[in-house]
Amino acid sequence: MTFRNISLFGLVIAGLCVVSPASAIDPATLARSGGNGLASCASCHGANGQGQSNFPKLAGLDAGYLTRQLNEFASGQRASPVMAPIAKKLAVADRTAMATYYSKLPDIQQAAPVANNALGQKIALHGAWSKNVPACVQCHGPGGRGVGSTFPAIAGQTAGYIGSQLRAFASGQRANDPLQLMRSPAKNLTAAEIEAVAAYFAAQPAKAPSGGAK
């Protein structure tokens, strides 16, 4: 082997030994004040990831679920003119880092006060089987507090966000639900029923009451 070949071989080995960092961003910095040409996550999702208006609460959500949503925003599988360019600009490792960061934030949002909401409670807990709409808690767990990385917690989310996502599933604008588990039921709900369900879950606590799950 000539000196030139040895040199090239050494450069190749050296290149293989360079390990890129797992993440190029600091999640807390990006969340609070922005960076890498991106606005802060807090500008939409609130200072502590508690959500606001039509922007969802992220604090305490399952990291696997959040990672999947970011990946699907980036790939276009979940459409969003706001989130798609942000997710695309984040490296895969950065998306995971952001998801992990938000999953570990405490959910301190108080349940929203709401008047008697028998319609929303009925659909949430028992469904509307005459319309082929199962109870929301069958997938989203007791109290709507989520089940693993597939079924996100919806308890304590803003009513505006829940309603907007139900309408998006109903219209087909959002189509990243496994097995169309959200699109089919959402299509069968009236506008009034969607608002009632959204208001019901917005008023639910994110944590199970001390007496147990309800």
Side-chain angles (χ1 to χ4, degrees), residues 30 38-46 54-58 65-91 94-95 98-99 102 161 165 173-174 176:
L30 181 57
L38 297 173
S40 70
C41 304
S43 60
C44 290
H45 295 285
N54 290 335
F55 296 101
K57 172 182 68 176
L58 303 179
Y65 174 77
L66 291 175
T67 299
R68 180 162 61 87
Q69 299 311 301
L70 285 171
N71 288 338
E72 291 179 356
F73 281 131
S75 70
Q77 187 173 349
R78 180 175 176 181
S80 171
V82 175
M83 284 302 305
I86 295 172
K88 287 177 181 178
K89 194 163 185 177
L90 293 173
D94 292 333
R95 295 174 207 154
M98 292 305 303
Y102 275 108
Y161 176 71
Q165 295 311 295
Q173 179 186 358
R174 182 172 175 182
N176 69 327

Side-chain angles (χ1 to χ4, degrees), residues 50 107-113 156 202-205:
Q50 299 302 321
D107 186 350
I108 57 176
Q109 181 171 323
Q110 300 297 314
Q204 302 310 303

Side-chain angles (χ1 to χ4, degrees), residues 106-121:
D107 186 350
I108 57 176
Q109 181 171 323
Q110 300 297 314
V114 66
N116 181 41
N117 185 4
L119 177 60
Q121 182 177 23

